[in-house]
């Protein structure tokens, strides 16, 4: 039976003791003095109070089991993850050694008419070639970003290695701004080509509002574990979330501010 129900029934039973005692004594020919009854009432009231406090204290879970931090895959945390995959979003996979027009040929009609498709979102994944394969030509990447810059509703540019493992993340707005303007080729070399060559340089992406190779977490981890990853690293903007132990299955991003907000509200 529910502990609260037991406590309520116990109190009711105790309350019935007083009238039962009063009428029982009268029936046996030994009526009780009112002062005695008042003393009994006080004792019973105190006993009930102690019983209710005991149920309240000892009915709680044992320390260490009363609170369980929320996993990133659980409500409400998952609502703060900005997903990579959306129903209407167009995935674009970029490999080295191919011209921009060929990279976009699959949805050529949409990419050639950005004004008519302004609401469409592009999810751009830039993938490193296998060992010994071609490297990215910054001129071609600049041309590619030039063709995509008008899709302003887009959010994500993801860097992955030849095994589809995460290497870096750049917000869409920062990518199209830096990779289409002055010195675009130099910035592409610094933030894409060199990052693929040496993942330790991926921390440069934080200066663009992005995330480095190590800014990664599983959705099976808790929000407190996410907070530990971001707490002492001021340049960090957030974490890229992957599913379970499958670090090739990227889910989305969770901003650092969202992590701290969730922790502060007890998620």
């Amino acid at each position: 039976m529910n502990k609260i129900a037991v406590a309520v029934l116990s109190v009711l039973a105790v309350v019935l003791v007083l009238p039962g005692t009063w009428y029982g004594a009268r029936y046996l020919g030994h009526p009780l003095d009112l002062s005695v009854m008042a003393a009994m009432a006080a004792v019973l009231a105190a006993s009930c109070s102690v019983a209710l406090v005991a149920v309240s204290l000892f009915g709680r879970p044992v320390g260490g089991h009363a609170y369980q931090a929320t996993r990133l895959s659980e409500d409400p945390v998952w609502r703060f993850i900005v997903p990579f995959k959306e129903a209407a979003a167009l995935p674009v996979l970029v490999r080295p050694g191919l011209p921009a027009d060929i990279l976009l040929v699959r949805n050529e009609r949409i990419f050639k008419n950005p004004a008519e498709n302004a609401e469409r979102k592009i999810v751009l994944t830039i993938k490193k070639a296998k060992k010994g394969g071609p490297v990215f030509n910054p001129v071609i990447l600049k041309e590619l970003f030039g063709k995509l810059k008008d899709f302003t509703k887009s959010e994500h540019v993801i860097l992955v290695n030849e095994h589809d493992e995460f290497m870096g993340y750049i917000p869409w707005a920062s990518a199209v701004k830096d990779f289409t303007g002055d010195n675009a080729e130099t910035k592409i070399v610094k933030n894409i080509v060199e990052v693929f060559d040496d993942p330790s340089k991926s921390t440069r992406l934080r200066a663009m509002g992005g995330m480095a190779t190590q800014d990664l977490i599983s959705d099976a981890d808790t929000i407190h574990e996410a907070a530990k990853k971001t707490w002492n690293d001021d340049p960090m903007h957030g974490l890229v979330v992957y599913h379970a132990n499958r670090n090739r299955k990227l889910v989305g991003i969770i901003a650092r501010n969202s992590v701290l907000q969730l922790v502060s509200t007890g998620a």
Side-chain angles (χ1 to χ4, degrees), residues 2 132 221:
N2 186 288
D221 290 332

Side-chain angles (χ1 to χ4, degrees), residues 35-64:
S35 61
V36 174
M37 293 297 298
M40 289 179 63
V43 170
L44 289 173
S47 299
C48 289
S49 298
V50 171
L52 288 173
V53 171
V55 168
S56 176
L57 290 176
F58 295 108
R60 294 175 181 173
V62 178

Side-chain angles (χ1 to χ4, degrees), residues 62-219:
V62 178
H65 299 286
Y67 173 76
Q68 198 77 303
T70 310
R71 297 184 187 278
L72 271 65
S73 59
E74 298 173 341
D75 189 36
V77 179
W78 67 269
R79 299 184 187 184
F80 288 78
I81 297 175
V82 181
F84 289 146
K85 291 184 179 180
E86 295 184 40
L90 290 177
V92 175
L93 178 62
V94 180
R95 299 175 182 269
L98 297 173
D101 288 338
I102 298 300
L103 292 169
L104 300 178
V105 71
R106 183 177 178 183
N107 294 287
E108 183 179 15
R109 179 183 57 82
I110 293 174
F111 296 128
K112 285 189 174 181
N113 298 284
E116 297 176 11
N117 298 281
E119 297 300 314
R120 299 300 295 267
K121 289 184 178 182
I122 311 299
V123 179
L124 189 65
T125 301
I126 304 177
K127 184 173 181 177
K128 180 184 179 182
K130 293 181 179 179
K131 188 175 181 180
V135 297
F136 281 104
N137 184 332
V139 175
I140 291 177
L141 285 180
K142 178 183 178 181
E143 182 183 357
L144 176 70
F145 279 104
K147 291 178 178 292
L148 297 177
K149 68 179 181 180
D150 292 328
F151 292 90
T152 55
K153 298 290 185 179
S154 303
E155 299 172 281
H156 313 297
V157 177
I158 310 163
L159 309 184
V160 298
N161 65 15
E162 63 272 33
H163 306 297
D164 293 316
E165 296 167 338
F166 174 73
M167 290 194 72
Y169 173 84
I170 309 171
W172 181 274
S174 298
V176 296
K177 175 178 176 292
D178 283 13
F179 300 155
T180 60
D182 295 338
N183 302 314
E185 290 92 342
T186 300
K187 294 176 182 177
I188 288 170
V189 169
K190 178 182 177 182
N191 295 290
I192 296 179
V193 179
E194 292 184 3
V195 167
F196 279 136
D197 185 56
D198 181 3
S200 68
K201 295 180 179 179
S202 64
T203 53
R204 297 171 177 176
L205 303 181
R206 293 175 182 168
M208 300 179 68
M211 296 162 204
T213 305
Q214 61 267 37
D215 301 344
L216 192 65
I217 192 168
S218 169
D219 65 0

Side-chain angles (χ1 to χ4, degrees), residues 76-83 253-255 257-259 261-262 265:
V77 179
W78 67 269
R79 299 184 187 184
F80 288 78
I81 297 175
V82 181
I253 61 169
I254 185 166
N257 287 342
S258 294
V259 172
Q261 177 186 343
L262 286 160
T265 53

